Amino acid sequence: MTNKTAQQPSSGVEAVLSELPPIQELLIEVRTYPVRLLSRICDQYAERKAPVPDHALRLAPYLGETALRALIDGGYVERQDELHISVHAYVPTASGRALIGGRAPAKRAASKKVKA
């Protein structure tokens, strides 16, 4: 197999492989995991009345961290690092709470870019 073939599989191959049951299950998990994670953060934040520590989230390896990063980038969750209870803690934004509450956010959430 050449490097070019590995980088650009034909759409026919993608179509066939994407129909395999494990791949379908993965696609469903990729779509639903961020919803469950945002809901968990909102619920725990409401219960604790404080930021949710990272260890309380029990993230799935890779998918959980990627979903969390997407929620932060999308402006649905904010990370707070200056807490003594954890390395990171998370707070749902108004947009995140509105989304989970079944209401559309007033405007599209925007991430806050931090300059390094």
Side-chain angles (χ1 to χ4, degrees):
M1 180 187 279
T2 67
N3 203 14
K4 183 178 179 184
T5 305
Q7 292 176 353
Q8 299 175 347
S10 71
S11 61
V13 172
E14 289 174 3
V16 169
L17 295 179
S18 69
E19 294 301 318
L20 295 172
I23 301 299
Q24 288 295 309
E25 292 170 11
L26 179 61
L27 292 171
I28 291 168
E29 187 69 10
V30 166
R31 286 192 304 262
T32 60
Y33 190 92
V35 176
R36 292 192 317 268
L37 180 57
L38 180 57
S39 181
R40 188 177 323 143
I41 291 170
C42 288
D43 291 347
Q44 287 191 22
Y45 180 75
E47 183 178 310
R48 293 171 182 267
K49 307 237 185 308
V52 181
D54 51 6
H55 60 268
L57 294 175
R58 295 185 207 100
L59 298 172
Y62 185 71
L63 179 58
E65 293 170 12
T66 302
L68 186 56
R69 193 171 62 242
L71 293 172
I72 292 167
D73 287 350
Y76 299 107
V77 171
E78 292 179 345
R79 185 173 74 190
Q80 297 185 349
D81 294 335
E82 297 182 17
L83 300 171
H84 68 284
I85 61 171
S86 63
V87 174
H88 303 293
Y90 303 93
V91 174
T93 63
S95 293
R97 291 189 304 274
L99 195 61
I100 289 301
R103 301 178 313 275
K107 61 180 181 176
R108 187 185 183 289
S111 63
K112 295 178 182 177
K113 300 288 183 189
V114 177
K115 294 182 181 181

